[in-house]
């Protein structure tokens, strides 16, 4: 396999850094980008030499996030009574790859009915309920960004058919084989990728700090980072490369440094970029996108920047896998496996999916009760639902989270 083959494949839907930076900005904005480059140069020359301890701490932390493994819980006696619990061979596959290949859960007709239910609820404003709060809804509507992806967050708490979907033994028993006998869903979401929609940049997640100050998932027992959360991603329409199917990097959960840098870089921009080789043309493109690019471009920039630190041959140990699926099929994968999606380049083919984010009951979910939403008018702190979880498998014996009583 040629060098950087995987990296080239990963950037196929995003384009090169030069291509991403080909959008117009005003001369006043150019001045701000140049000012950022000057600030990085000053920091690198005058401040970075005094940051030896910070550099040591960063690289020590990054070293801790390499060569991770998956240690699955021992199957319980109850996990012998159904055909949907995983075999030893399937468990071994997941431990190596961090995902299970797509499997049938419901018929395409049932999937279509659930899709129509979700769209109808969205068109009716989800009964006036916004789990992100009225302020977020108000601002996102103002900028025509109140899509089902955001309006639909947590809405399975209201819509029982989607809770029952995740409780089907085809999903729940596979999850139990990986997470143990007590499993809850802490967040649900819909993804509606219309023709012309952008792809999703490569990313990975473990504790889901995202834009907030705190990790939303906090294990109370020793847990493999890749098992802190698993996605049950259900296709409610056929998904293809043309309409934006998922792409994953199987086995990439073994290295969580990209996830750490996603959180570290935005809060430590001058420090981080001063660690990279100083190239005004490179930094101009990075700064232009970071300050004025669309969200997808900004996510791609973080990946480009991380490559500079980790080495662009870092990804050669992995192979990109495109996951085309039929309506009614489910994919289970660790969020720590790097994943992305193609843009929808079709003329009329909508890609619609539902995801349940699941974890073991011994994990505390959003104990601080707050989160932050990155709106176009700046970050907005909002209060998470008092009852934000529902049981998917087994019965809760930990009492750490408020679970929907249904």
């Amino acid at each position: 396999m040629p060098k950087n083959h995987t990296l080239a494949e990963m950037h196929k839907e995003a384009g090169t850094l030069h291509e991403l930076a080909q959008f117009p900005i005003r001369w006043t904005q150019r001045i701000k980008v140049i000012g950022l480059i000057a600030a990085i140069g000053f920091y690198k020359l005058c401040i970075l030499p005094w940051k030896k301890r910070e550099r040591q701490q960063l690289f020590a932390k990054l070293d801790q996030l390499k060569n991770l493994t998956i240690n699955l819980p021992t199957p319980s006696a109850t996990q012998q009574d159904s055909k949907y619990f995983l075999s030893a061979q399937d468990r071994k596959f997941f431990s190596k790859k961090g995902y299970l290949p797509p499997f049938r859960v419901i018929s395409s007709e049932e999937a279509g009915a659930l899709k129509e239910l979700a769209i109808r609820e969205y068109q009716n404003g989800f009964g006036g309920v916004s789990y992100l709060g009225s302020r977020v809804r108000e601002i996102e509507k103002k900028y025509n960004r109140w899509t089902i992806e955001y309006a639909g967050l947590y809405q399975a708490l209201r819509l029982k058919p989607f809770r029952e979907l995740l409780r089907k033994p085809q999903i729940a028993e596979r999850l139990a084989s990986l997470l143990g006998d007590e499993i809850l869903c802490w967040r649900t979401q819909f993804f509606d990728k219309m023709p012309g929609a952008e792809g999703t940049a490569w990313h990975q997640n473990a504790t889901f700090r995202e834009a907030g100050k705190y990790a939303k998932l906090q294990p109370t027992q020793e847990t493999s980072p890749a098992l802190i959360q698993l996605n049950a991603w259900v296709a409610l329409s056929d998904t293809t490369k043309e309409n934006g199917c998922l792409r994953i990097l199987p086995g990439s959960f073994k290295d969580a440094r990209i996830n750490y840098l996603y959180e570290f870089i935005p809060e430590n921009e001058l420090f981080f970029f001063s660690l990279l080789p100083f190239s005004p043309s490179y930094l101009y493109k990075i700064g232009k996108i970071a300050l004025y690019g669309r969200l997808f471009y900004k996510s791609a920039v973080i990946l480009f920047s991380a490559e500079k630190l980790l080495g662009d041959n870092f990804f050669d140990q992995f192979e990109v896998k495109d996951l085309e699926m039929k309506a009614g099929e489910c994919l289970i994968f660790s969020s720590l496996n790097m994943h992305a999606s193609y843009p929808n380049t079709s003329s009329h083919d909508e890609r619609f999916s539902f995801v349940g984010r699941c974890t073991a009951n011994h994990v505390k979910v959003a104990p601080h009760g707050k989160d932050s939403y990155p709106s176009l008018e700046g970050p907005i702190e909002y209060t998470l639902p008092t009852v934000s979880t529902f049981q998917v498998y087994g019965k809760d014996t930990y009492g750490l989270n408020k679970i929907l009583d249904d």
Side-chain angles (χ1 to χ4, degrees), residues 5-229:
H5 166 81
T6 299
L7 190 59
E9 182 68 20
M10 289 173 68
H11 287 316
K12 189 163 64 175
E13 71 275 8
T16 65
L17 182 63
H18 177 75
E19 291 169 340
L20 290 176
Q22 294 303 304
F23 60 90
I25 58 175
R26 299 188 301 272
W27 69 269
T28 54
Q29 294 173 322
R30 289 197 188 101
I31 291 175
K32 288 185 178 181
V33 175
I34 293 171
L36 176 61
I37 296 172
I40 293 171
F42 175 81
Y43 194 102
K44 186 179 187 72
L45 184 65
C46 301
I47 299 178
L48 187 62
W50 301 93
K51 294 286 185 178
K52 291 183 179 180
R53 187 174 73 172
E54 287 81 355
R55 280 193 289 179
Q56 291 172 349
Q57 289 173 338
L58 172 61
F59 287 104
K61 179 63 178 180
L62 291 175
D63 281 341
Q64 294 172 8
L65 298 172
K66 296 188 295 185
N67 304 315
L68 303 179
T69 60
I70 288 179
N71 298 310
L72 294 175
T74 302
S76 67
T78 61
Q79 294 185 17
Q80 312 295 328
D81 303 329
S82 171
K83 62 181 180 181
Y84 298 117
F85 289 112
L86 297 181
S87 66
Q89 183 177 355
D90 291 334
R91 285 165 54 89
K92 183 178 180 181
F93 179 91
F94 185 90
S95 294
K96 182 179 180 181
K97 301 292 188 180
Y99 81 101
L100 296 176
F103 54 89
R104 172 68 57 185
V105 180
I106 54 177
S107 68
S108 59
E109 292 78 14
E110 291 172 309
L114 287 174
K115 173 188 171 184
E116 293 306 314
L117 171 61
I119 292 175
R120 188 166 60 250
E121 282 284 331
Y122 172 61
Q123 291 172 341
N124 293 329
F126 286 110
V129 177
S130 166
Y131 289 99
L132 301 186
S134 58
R135 178 62 177 156
V136 171
R137 177 173 56 189
E138 174 187 328
I139 291 177
E140 293 303 272
K141 282 188 174 182
K142 175 181 174 181
Y143 292 98
N144 197 30
R145 286 171 25 122
W146 191 236
T147 64
I148 195 171
E149 183 174 343
Y150 302 111
L153 277 168
Y154 298 100
Q155 292 291 347
L157 294 170
R158 297 177 50 254
L159 303 174
K160 190 171 184 179
F162 292 98
R163 300 199 299 275
E164 293 303 317
L165 174 62
L166 295 176
R167 290 168 177 159
K168 287 185 177 295
Q170 296 95 319
I171 296 176
E173 292 179 4
R174 283 179 168 91
L175 287 171
S177 299
L178 303 171
L179 295 175
D181 286 336
E182 298 179 35
I183 302 169
L184 58 80
C185 177
W186 70 274
R187 188 165 81 185
T188 58
Q189 195 165 7
F190 301 102
F191 292 102
D192 189 8
K193 191 183 287 287
M194 300 295 289
E198 293 178 336
T200 303
W202 288 93
H203 61 286
Q204 59 179 182
N205 240 317
T207 58
F208 279 80
R209 176 184 168 186
E210 300 172 305
K213 296 179 181 179
Y214 310 105
K216 286 187 275 296
L217 300 178
Q218 298 183 9
T220 62
Q221 299 178 6
E222 185 173 350
T223 304
S224 299
L227 293 179
I228 294 175
Q229 193 237 231

Side-chain angles (χ1 to χ4, degrees), residues 111-406:
L114 287 174
K115 173 188 171 184
E116 293 306 314
L117 171 61
I119 292 175
R120 188 166 60 250
E121 282 284 331
Y122 172 61
Q123 291 172 341
N124 293 329
F126 286 110
V129 177
S130 166
Y131 289 99
L132 301 186
S134 58
R135 178 62 177 156
V136 171
R137 177 173 56 189
E138 174 187 328
I139 291 177
E140 293 303 272
K141 282 188 174 182
K142 175 181 174 181
Y143 292 98
N144 197 30
R145 286 171 25 122
W146 191 236
T147 64
I148 195 171
E149 183 174 343
Y150 302 111
L153 277 168
Y154 298 100
Q155 292 291 347
L157 294 170
R158 297 177 50 254
L159 303 174
K160 190 171 184 179
F162 292 98
R163 300 199 299 275
E164 293 303 317
L165 174 62
L166 295 176
R167 290 168 177 159
K168 287 185 177 295
Q170 296 95 319
I171 296 176
E173 292 179 4
R174 283 179 168 91
L175 287 171
S177 299
L178 303 171
L179 295 175
D181 286 336
E182 298 179 35
I183 302 169
L184 58 80
C185 177
W186 70 274
R187 188 165 81 185
T188 58
Q189 195 165 7
F190 301 102
F191 292 102
D192 189 8
K193 191 183 287 287
M194 300 295 289
E198 293 178 336
T200 303
W202 288 93
H203 61 286
Q204 59 179 182
N205 240 317
T207 58
F208 279 80
R209 176 184 168 186
E210 300 172 305
K213 296 179 181 179
Y214 310 105
K216 286 187 275 296
L217 300 178
Q218 298 183 9
T220 62
Q221 299 178 6
E222 185 173 350
T223 304
S224 299
L227 293 179
I228 294 175
Q229 193 237 231
L230 299 182
N231 289 324
W233 198 98
V234 184
L236 299 184
S237 67
D238 291 350
T239 74
T240 65
K241 293 179 183 178
E242 187 181 20
N243 72 11
C245 73
L246 278 177
R247 318 184 76 201
I248 68 170
L249 216 57
S252 54
F253 67 84
K254 297 171 186 174
D255 196 310
R257 290 181 292 174
I258 295 289
N259 174 56
Y260 182 78
L261 291 174
Y262 268 122
E263 298 177 352
F264 181 86
I265 292 174
E267 295 183 351
N268 301 273
E269 287 182 343
L270 292 179
F271 173 66
F272 177 80
F273 288 121
S274 70
L275 295 173
L276 307 181
F278 189 80
S279 166
S281 62
Y282 172 80
L283 290 175
Y284 182 84
K285 298 182 184 78
I286 290 285
K288 179 181 178 181
I289 297 170
L291 291 174
Y292 304 111
R294 297 199 297 269
L295 180 61
F296 171 74
Y297 291 3
K298 291 179 180 179
S299 298
V301 158
I302 292 178
L303 181 60
F304 277 114
S305 304
E307 290 164 12
K308 287 286 186 180
L309 192 66
L310 304 181
D312 56 10
N313 63 344
F314 159 74
F315 294 99
D316 286 346
Q317 60 186 306
F318 307 113
E319 185 79 14
V320 174
K321 186 170 184 62
D322 296 332
L323 290 160
E324 295 184 304
M325 298 168 62
K326 294 294 186 182
E329 289 185 334
C330 177
L331 169 73
I332 291 176
F333 67 99
S334 168
S335 294
L336 203 53
N337 254 349
M338 291 199 68
H339 52 288
S341 70
Y342 282 107
N344 189 336
T345 58
S346 71
S347 59
H348 62 278
D349 194 9
E350 176 186 16
R351 193 215 76 181
F352 199 96
S353 61
F354 167 75
V355 64
R357 305 190 186 277
C358 300
T359 189
N361 282 64
H362 69 74
V363 175
K364 290 183 179 179
V365 177
H368 297 279
K370 300 285 187 180
D371 200 8
S372 181
Y373 182 89
S375 80
L376 290 178
E377 296 187 1
I380 302 171
E381 187 175 84
Y382 65 94
T383 301
L384 291 163
T386 303
V387 178
S388 63
T389 68
F390 57 89
Q391 200 70 18
V392 170
Y393 184 85
K395 293 184 177 180
D396 176 47
T397 62
Y398 291 91
L400 298 174
N401 301 293
K402 293 183 178 180
I403 299 174
L404 184 69
D405 183 10
D406 68 335

